[in-house]
Amino acid sequence: MTFVNGQSFEVNLDPATATVFFKGALRLTGSEDYAPILTILRATLAREGNQVIVDLRELDFLNSSGITMFSRFVIEARDRGDTALTFVASDSVPWHARSLKNLQRLMPALQIRIG
Amino acid sequence: MKSETFGRIDDPAVPPGEYLDLAFSPLSAPLRSRWRNNGLSADFLGDYVTTFLPAGDGIASDQRHQNEIKHAVTYIANELLENAMKYHQADRHVAIAIRLELTSENITVTSTNGISGEQAGQYRLFIDRLSQGEAGDLLVKHLEAGAKRGAAASSGLGLLTMVCDYGAELGWRFEGLPGAPDSGTVTTRAVLSIRNILGVSQ
């Protein structure tokens, strides 16, 4: 599976570049509803020594259950020890500057690039 | 249920400044089908607050600043409504309510919902931990625990992000209901300093 969408969002995986693109507003009810998206994120960790990119520039809104989902993914990437993880953010989306730093506290090697 | 208050919460007898109330009658529809309502209501409050802001007021009228305020209100209203919907005790005839209130310095978002005595006890334990620890450390612990043990362990994350990421000051009021010893209502209040949201030093 490389694509999930709902009423207000789209998530796309480009397997060739191990990049996951997020678009819209994510406010699902909890970990059960976020599971298909976490599955897509985990697919990027399949190869060893991988460069993984999570492109959030078009993700305008994320609720706290979504923050939990990203933190699970970041912790899994951290614990593998061989994944170079980059989140691409936008300085015009307010939650990026406010909340992505928490993920960096979980994984200090996480790169946050303003794109 | 014992009536008590914690944190930054005003006397209910004191009339608020300008405010907007939304209330939802006790809801019987399944959580999932009424979830969309949270997003619609939160977006509405976020849009609405920008009309409250005085036009021509140097810092708040700037488009980028308006966007910051709108987002902060939307995020906080959404989290408070999600919690209220998740934990509301539906068998009591208490409405779920959310209030947006504006003064020249602060924006306040307040939710009220019915709660069982057991859930009120768990909520108080969380408030205790928050008052004794540093919110940023608690947030990281919550995220680590949520990753290992799933959603239940990360309950409270919404409130922690309000404090850590948006600089909100929180307050709570628990109130008993007449004739219902094991249930009551909880009011959760998040106060945002407009200057803090905009990153303007005092």
Side-chain angles (χ1 to χ4, degrees):
Chain A
M1 189 162 58
T2 59
F3 177 76
V4 182
N5 71 339
Q7 266 182 338
S8 64
F9 69 91
E10 278 181 28
V11 181
N12 277 293
L13 166 66
D14 174 9
T17 57
T19 302
V20 186
F21 296 93
F22 286 81
K23 195 172 181 177
L26 271 172
R27 36 179 139 219
L28 304 177
T29 54
S31 58
E32 198 179 305
D33 283 354
Y34 274 108
I37 300 174
L38 187 55
T39 301
I40 286 187
L41 285 168
R42 281 177 174 148
T44 62
L45 302 178
R47 277 182 291 170
E48 284 179 20
N50 213 1
Q51 298 264 355
V52 174
I53 295 168
V54 177
D55 190 331
L56 299 172
R57 284 175 294 177
E58 292 186 55
L59 186 63
D60 297 326
F61 190 90
L62 181 70
N63 68 357
S64 65
S65 300
I67 293 175
T68 300
M69 173 197 67
F70 278 117
S71 66
R72 291 180 82 160
F73 172 66
V74 164
I75 287 168
E76 285 176 29
R78 176 195 72 190
D79 291 349
R80 280 181 62 105
D82 64 351
T83 302
L85 182 58
T86 301
F87 277 46
V88 187
S90 164
D91 59 8
S92 61
V93 181
W95 77 266
H96 292 175
R98 293 190 181 275
S99 294
L100 289 176
K101 62 184 189 297
N102 299 322
L103 299 178
Q104 229 164 8
R105 285 187 72 181
L106 295 171
M107 181 185 186
L110 170 68
Q111 297 285 323
I112 295 173
R113 194 173 80 215
I114 305 295
Chain B
M1 208 175 88
K2 200 169 141 193
S3 294
E4 48 192 339
T5 62
F6 304 92
R8 183 163 178 175
I9 192 105
D10 298 334
D11 182 342
V14 176
E18 272 190 287
Y19 70 95
L20 173 72
D21 276 346
L22 297 180
F24 308 95
S25 60
L27 299 158
S28 55
L31 183 68
R32 206 173 289 273
S33 63
R34 52 187 151 94
W35 200 252
R36 190 164 170 266
N37 187 46
N38 299 338
L40 288 173
S41 305
D43 283 345
F44 175 71
L45 292 181
D47 283 335
Y48 197 75
V49 77
T50 57
T51 68
F52 263 130
L53 295 171
D57 173 348
I59 54 167
S61 61
D62 175 86
Q63 183 62 44
R64 188 179 182 82
H65 287 156
Q66 292 230 355
N67 199 28
E68 286 289 336
I69 291 171
K70 177 179 163 177
H71 172 76
V73 168
T74 302
Y75 180 81
I76 286 170
N78 190 71
E79 291 299 322
L80 288 176
L81 273 171
E82 286 191 4
N83 284 345
M85 295 282 175
K86 269 184 192 166
Y87 297 112
H88 182 62
Q89 206 191 14
D91 59 337
R92 298 287 164 198
H93 291 284
V94 176
I96 293 174
I98 190 148
R99 168 173 289 186
L100 172 71
E101 189 186 334
L102 187 80
T103 65
S104 57
E105 287 165 8
N106 297 317
I107 297 168
T108 304
V109 188
T110 309
S111 66
T112 301
N113 60 281
I115 192 166
S116 70
E118 187 190 343
Q119 279 171 346
Q122 286 172 6
Y123 201 174
R124 284 191 181 98
L125 285 177
F126 171 80
I127 294 165
D128 272 353
R129 283 202 298 276
L130 186 57
S131 64
Q132 286 162 17
E134 200 272 310
D137 292 339
L138 264 183
L139 175 66
V140 171
K141 278 184 196 153
H142 260 68
L143 291 175
E144 291 273 4
K148 290 193 182 84
R149 296 200 295 275
S154 64
S155 180
L157 181 66
L159 295 168
L160 288 170
T161 51
M162 288 177 207
V163 175
C164 296
D165 300 350
Y166 296 87
E169 285 185 71
L170 302 181
W172 297 268
R173 180 184 303 113
F174 292 87
E175 286 175 292
L177 285 173
D182 195 39
S183 60
T185 61
V186 60
T187 297
T188 305
R189 172 166 295 175
V191 181
L192 288 166
S193 148
I194 294 174
R195 282 182 170 266
N196 274 352
I197 306 173
L198 302 180
V200 179
S201 56
Q202 303 256 13

